Amino acid sequence: MKTLLDNADSVDRAGDPLEVSGEVVRIRGGRPLTGRVEVKGAKNLVTKAMVAALLGDTPSTLRDVPDISDVQVVRSLLEVHGVRVEDGDVEGELHFDPSGAVAAHFEEIDAHAGASRIPILFCGPLLHLLGEALIPDLGGCRIGDRPINFHMDALRAFGAIVDKSYEGIRITAPHGLHGASIELPYPSVGATEQVLLTAVRAKGTTELRNAAIEPEIMDLIAVLQKMGAIISYEPNRVILIEGVDSLRGYDHRAIFDRNEAASWACAALATDGDIFVGGAKQQEMLTFLNVFRKVGGEFDVREDGIRFHRNGDLKPVVVETDVHPGFMTDWQQPLIVALTQAHGVSTVHETVYENRLGFTEALVQMGADIVVHPQGIESAERRVPRRALEQAAVVTGPTPLRGAEVEVPDLRGGYSYVIAALAAEGESVVSNMGIIRRGYEKFFAKLDALGADFDIVG
């Protein structure tokens, strides 16, 4: 039976009893995860909607906000810029009053940003409010190239001036911002968010071509439309934004976190468990659910969530990650853990980030049979266009996993290590667990509710 330091006399912000930091966890695997977990708003929407509150002339309210470290980072950055952020009466509710917004120094932004890349999305709103934005060195998960030139080129197209210094990047708009015609070389989610947050108050009309159209992007557009923005989505990834002189605050309930929902679904596959994910919706997960069923999983869609479980032995699949509506890159890491238990050879083509398969080294250490092809694999059946930096993982199974000592490399890879440890025979020690709290609320409490056997040891 799991011991979660039952005599702990402190509680962290995510609601997990902690006597120590929670950075190192000892996991005893070999038992199915069963039970119910709840997912709140999507990290990839909530943090951007918080930034959007800067654009309003009146206060905003955001609901279903998960208590994760990325939210705390954005909250701190807003407060550094003079925005008053208050908790609501209901769990997961935040109120934002931007009336006191002010400029901040490089050092202040850097101190609160930590490893987050969110500061770059403050640029458009701050340029409209203050005429200046500062960006320190950017962090984030080390999973591949995330060039900020997409962002900088877009801001220049709006009329911004970008100056680099030893402290970071200073962006100014001495003549204000104007509408622009922008075509992204790749449908980048971050760059699309940048254009939306900047164009809504730029003078004139902006046409964005090759835009990202993820559900979180559509939800951000809904937030901005509530604020008074005029945004239309046209065929072939084209978004039109007509700039307006002012925006008001919003009241919005965030879309659910489909990444977390898919993570728990993969955990059910890997451990032969049965997990009900409260708050999950079918429509935003159609692509994932198709692959889940092909692998040998089964799901039951209900009004309040989706139940995930196995339907016999797991089967091999071929998966190609892609931008929406394709199979998300965030889904492939926990799926690969489950594929180590499939009967046959699976291939996962990673076309979004070039370093996202590095996490498989630890799975091999745990007994998995995974071969990474650094240049990808040619195939006549490929549907997603090849990219110069893509990779592929060939997973042969089933192979029994055994406990090991592993260190979390990034958010989704770290979650995958935990699930691998829970599926493995014997004991594993997983360190650097703090990264997982960037995107998973009440992570230890949820593991406990699902019957995981683990101790927090450091």
Side-chain angles (χ1 to χ4, degrees):
M1 185 173 182
K2 177 188 126 346
T3 302
L4 185 61
L5 299 177
D6 295 326
N7 62 344
D9 54 10
S10 63
V11 178
D12 77 343
R13 289 188 57 85
D16 298 335
L18 295 179
E19 186 174 326
V20 283
S21 69
E23 289 286 335
V24 182
V25 177
R26 182 181 291 116
I27 298 173
R28 290 167 289 279
R31 65 166 66 182
L33 294 184
T34 60
R36 177 175 180 137
V37 294
E38 302 290 332
V39 294
K40 283 209 185 90
K43 174 181 82 75
N44 291 341
L45 175 277
V46 166
T47 49
K48 319 309 164 50
M50 293 172 69
V51 175
L54 272 169
L55 292 162
D57 294 334
T58 56
S60 295
T61 297
L62 186 59
R63 307 177 192 279
D64 273 356
V65 179
D67 192 358
I68 56 178
S69 59
D70 269 19
V71 166
Q72 299 306 321
V73 167
V74 181
R75 179 173 185 161
S76 296
L77 287 170
L78 287 171
E79 291 172 338
V80 163
H81 284 95
V83 178
R84 189 170 66 191
V85 185
E86 296 180 341
D87 296 308
D89 296 330
V90 179
E91 181 183 346
E93 183 178 287
L94 289 179
H95 303 289
F96 310 93
D97 183 355
S99 59
V102 295
H105 297 291
F106 275 112
E107 294 80 5
E108 292 176 299
I109 299 170
D110 198 27
H112 290 277
S116 172
R117 301 175 67 89
I118 282 290
I120 197 169
L121 291 178
F122 277 69
C123 293
L126 289 176
L127 287 171
H128 288 302
L129 276 173
L130 309 171
E132 179 184 71
L134 308 176
I135 306 173
D137 289 335
L138 297 175
C141 288
R142 304 303 181 188
I143 56 178
D145 189 27
R146 290 185 175 188
I148 67 169
N149 59 293
F150 288 6
H151 295 262
M152 297 300 103
D153 289 345
L155 291 168
R156 289 188 184 98
F158 285 113
I161 298 174
V162 179
D163 295 311
K164 296 182 180 180
S165 72
Y166 71 94
E167 295 175 298
I169 302 173
R170 182 184 302 274
I171 304 169
T172 56
H175 305 295
L177 300 177
H178 53 74
S181 178
I182 299 170
E183 181 166 5
L184 297 177
Y186 181 79
S188 159
V189 170
T192 299
E193 293 162 342
Q194 182 74 258
V195 171
L196 288 169
L197 292 167
T198 305
V200 287
R201 286 196 56 191
K203 293 188 180 301
T205 299
T206 296
E207 180 183 61
L208 175 61
R209 297 182 299 281
N210 203 25
I213 55 172
E214 272 69 3
E216 295 80 12
I217 292 287
M218 295 297 115
D219 208 33
L220 178 60
I221 289 175
V223 168
L224 294 169
Q225 188 180 56
K226 286 181 178 181
M227 300 177 75
I230 302 173
I231 306 173
S232 58
Y233 167 61
E234 299 191 346
N236 301 318
R237 296 184 176 274
V238 176
I239 298 176
L240 291 178
I241 308 106
E242 299 178 37
V244 298
D245 292 334
S246 64
L247 296 169
R248 57 184 174 271
Y250 63 79
D251 189 323
H252 188 76
R253 186 175 300 279
I255 187 175
F256 81 100
D257 197 315
R258 61 200 176 109
N259 289 341
E260 182 178 359
S263 296
W264 292 117
C266 291
L269 282 183
T271 67
D272 195 9
D274 191 332
I275 301 176
F276 187 89
V277 182
K281 305 291 184 184
Q282 178 183 13
Q283 183 172 344
E284 291 80 4
M285 298 188 70
L286 285 174
T287 303
F288 174 83
L289 294 175
N290 285 333
V291 173
F292 187 83
R293 180 165 281 164
K294 289 179 181 179
V295 172
E298 191 52 80
F299 56 89
D300 305 315
V301 179
R302 302 177 187 175
E303 185 175 351
D304 60 338
I306 304 177
R307 175 193 171 204
F308 297 96
H309 55 99
R310 276 195 196 181
N311 183 19
D313 290 339
L314 298 185
K315 307 174 184 66
V317 293
V318 176
V319 175
E320 301 171 66
T321 66
D322 197 9
V323 294
H324 187 78
F327 192 88
M328 286 189 68
T329 179
D330 290 310
W331 295 338
Q332 61 90 345
Q333 288 170 294
L335 178 67
I336 282 178
V337 177
L339 292 178
T340 66
Q341 305 309 304
H343 292 254
V345 180
S346 299
T347 303
V348 177
H349 300 274
E350 172 55 53
T351 75
V352 179
Y353 290 123
E354 72 274 20
N355 290 336
R356 201 153 211 174
L357 293 178
F359 84 104
T360 59
E361 294 179 7
L363 299 184
V364 171
Q365 178 187 347
M366 298 177 77
D369 184 348
I370 304 174
V371 177
V372 173
H373 296 259
Q375 309 304 318
I377 300 174
E378 291 278 9
S379 171
E381 288 74 35
R382 291 282 302 274
R383 299 182 63 86
V384 178
R386 286 208 66 184
R387 296 187 66 210
L389 299 177
E390 73 173 45
Q391 293 183 311
V394 177
V395 186
T396 303
T399 53
L401 299 179
R402 57 181 179 271
E405 292 189 10
V406 294
E407 182 177 352
V408 169
D410 59 73
L411 177 58
R412 308 300 170 188
Y415 179 95
S416 302
Y417 285 1
V418 172
I419 299 309
L422 290 166
E425 291 296 329
E427 184 174 274
S428 298
V429 177
V430 185
S431 59
N432 201 28
M433 286 283 293
I435 291 178
I436 294 179
R437 296 190 190 183
R438 287 191 51 221
Y440 295 91
E441 180 185 49
K442 300 180 181 178
F443 186 61
F444 293 131
K446 289 177 180 178
L447 288 178
D448 189 24
L450 296 173
D453 186 2
F454 67 97
D455 297 320
I456 300 170
V457 296

